[in-house]
Amino acid sequence: MPNEPSAGTARPGDGAPVVRVEGVVRRYGRTLALDGVSLTIGAGEMFALLGPNGAGKTTLISILCTLLAPDGGTATICGHDVTRSPRKARETLGVVFQEPSLDGKLTVEENLDFHGRMYRMPRAQRRARIAEMLELVELSDMRGRIVRSLSPGMKRRLEIARALIHDSRVLILDEPTVGLDPQSRDRIWAYLAEARIRRGMTIIVTTHYIEEVEGCDRICIIDRGKVLALDTPDALRAAHGREVLRVHATDAAAAARLRAVLPQAIEGAAGEIRVVGAERSLMMRLLDAHGADIRDLSVERPTLNSVFLSLTGRDLRDGQKPAPRRAA
C-alpha cells in the first residue's frame, strides 16, 4: 500500500477527494497497461504522476480526460463518473495535452474565444477571461498574432491559458514542458503556481523532468501499470531514497569488466553503470582494483531521482521501454 502523510499533517488536498480512481484496469489487446490502479487527489493539490515510458501514465490521463474508457474499475472527477457522465466530468477539466492542439491558422485571441464558445461562455465573460488569462501567461501583446508564428514556449503558454479559460476545477497537464528550454520551463511552472493560487484548483501533471516535481504536494510513481509508491517528496526520499554509485568506464571493454564484478549494477544511458544502495567502501575497492577502467566515478545522495531508480530500476529519462506485460 502506498504510504500516506503522517496523521495531523495538514496539506492541500485534505478533505473530500476531487479525483478518485478505484481499481482501474485498461488493456490494449493482451497488453495490460493499467493493473488495478487506485488513488485519490484532494482539492487544491499539486499532484505529479512519474513513470518511465510505457508505465501507464498517459493511459491513466486519457481515462481521466474521458478519452478512454477503463476495462475495469471506476474514475470520478468532482463526483462525476468519467464513463457514465463524461460531459459533466469534462466541464470541470482543463487539459494541456503532450501534443500541440492549437489551431495554427487562428490568432491567439481567436483560439481562446473558440474554446470559450465550446464551453458556452457568454460573450462578456469570454472577453474578460481572455484578457485575464493572456495577462497571466504574458501574451497580452500577442493576442492578434497568428498562432503558427509563435515560439514553442509561447504556444505552450497559450495552451495553458486555453485550459484555464472556462471554470475548470482540475487542470491536467501531460508533459507540459517537453522540448522547452529551461527558461521557458521555469516560466510555465510560475504560471501554474499563480493559476493555482488564483483559482484554488487541483493540478495533475506528468513530466520527464524529475526536478520539476519537488514542489508538488504528492508524487505517484507508476510502472508497468501499477502504483509503486505515493507520498510527499520528503516521505518518498525517507522511505525509498538510497545513495547511487555512478561509474563511467573508459571504453566498452572496461565497462564489460566492471559489470562482471558488479552483478547488482544497472546499466544506464551512455554506458553509465549504477549501483543503488552501494556502501561507500565499494567506491574505494573499485578504484583500487579497477582504477584503470574508470573514467569517472561519483556518489549521488538520496534524491527523488534515486527514489525513482530504486523503485523502477532506471532513471526517469533513460528512455528504456519495459517489455509489455501480458494480462493473465
Side-chain angles (χ1 to χ4, degrees), residues 17-303:
V18 171
V19 177
R20 186 184 295 275
V21 177
E22 296 182 342
V24 165
V25 174
R26 174 70 192 191
R27 295 177 175 86
Y28 296 101
R30 290 182 56 81
T31 300
L32 189 57
L34 294 176
D35 187 5
V37 169
S38 296
L39 55 88
T40 59
I41 304 172
E45 189 170 8
M46 178 80 82
F47 188 91
L49 279 171
L50 289 183
N53 291 331
K57 305 184 307 297
T58 297
T59 297
L60 180 57
I61 289 294
S62 296
I63 288 173
L64 293 177
C65 293
T66 77
L67 298 177
L68 284 177
D71 294 316
T74 61
T76 60
I77 305 283
C78 299
H80 304 298
D81 189 289
V82 299
T83 301
R84 297 176 181 176
S85 305
R87 182 171 177 174
K88 288 187 176 296
R90 284 196 295 269
E91 287 175 352
T92 69
L93 289 176
V95 183
V96 177
F97 294 105
Q98 188 176 146
E99 296 298 326
S101 58
L102 298 166
D103 190 324
K105 296 180 180 179
L106 299 181
T107 66
V108 166
E109 184 173 16
E110 288 169 342
N111 267 273
L112 297 182
D113 186 69
F114 179 77
H115 189 78
R117 288 173 185 266
M118 292 293 292
Y119 279 85
R120 302 185 300 279
M121 294 174 63
R123 184 170 181 269
Q125 185 186 17
R126 289 200 312 272
R127 294 183 66 178
R129 194 63 62 79
I130 287 171
E132 178 188 351
M133 291 303 103
L134 288 179
E135 179 184 0
L136 172 67
V137 299
E138 299 181 9
L139 289 176
S140 297
D141 294 341
M142 301 288 180
R143 63 192 308 149
R145 284 272 298 272
I146 298 296
V147 165
R148 64 187 175 196
S149 69
L150 301 179
S151 69
M154 289 178 179
K155 290 177 181 177
R156 191 54 98 187
R157 285 150 55 191
L158 178 57
E159 288 188 289
I160 291 172
R162 184 183 62 179
L164 297 173
I165 206 75
H166 62 287
D167 291 321
S168 50
R169 293 176 57 191
V170 179
L171 180 62
I172 297 179
L173 306 107
D174 191 9
E175 304 282 358
T177 61
V178 66
L180 300 182
D181 61 84
Q183 183 179 12
S184 294
R185 286 165 48 199
D186 288 344
R187 293 174 79 178
I188 292 296
W189 282 100
Y191 303 141
L192 293 176
E194 177 65 19
R196 184 188 182 197
I197 293 170
R198 289 192 189 189
R199 304 273 283 269
M201 68 193 323
T202 300
I203 297 179
I204 305 170
V205 63
T206 74
T207 178
H208 270 84
Y209 301 105
I210 205 161
E211 65 274 11
E212 291 185 341
V213 303
E214 286 283 355
C216 290
D217 297 302
R218 287 190 301 157
I219 300 168
C220 175
I221 297 177
I222 185 171
D223 193 18
R224 301 176 190 263
K226 283 185 172 291
V227 174
L228 302 184
L230 197 169
D231 216 322
T232 65
D234 286 344
L236 287 175
R237 276 189 288 266
H240 305 286
R242 303 170 71 186
E243 290 189 340
V244 179
L245 178 65
R246 297 177 179 268
V247 184
H248 290 89
T250 54
D251 54 35
R257 288 191 291 270
L258 289 170
R259 286 194 296 271
V261 299
L262 294 170
Q264 74 276 43
I266 301 167
E267 188 168 355
E272 184 183 63
I273 300 168
R274 309 169 187 139
V275 181
V276 180
E279 296 181 0
R280 290 273 176 161
S281 58
L282 176 61
M283 181 169 64
M284 299 309 299
R285 294 201 304 271
L286 278 178
L287 288 172
D288 289 343
H290 299 276
D293 290 332
I294 297 172
R295 174 169 54 85
D296 180 64
L297 183 149
S298 63
V299 176
E300 178 184 283
R301 297 184 65 82
T303 62

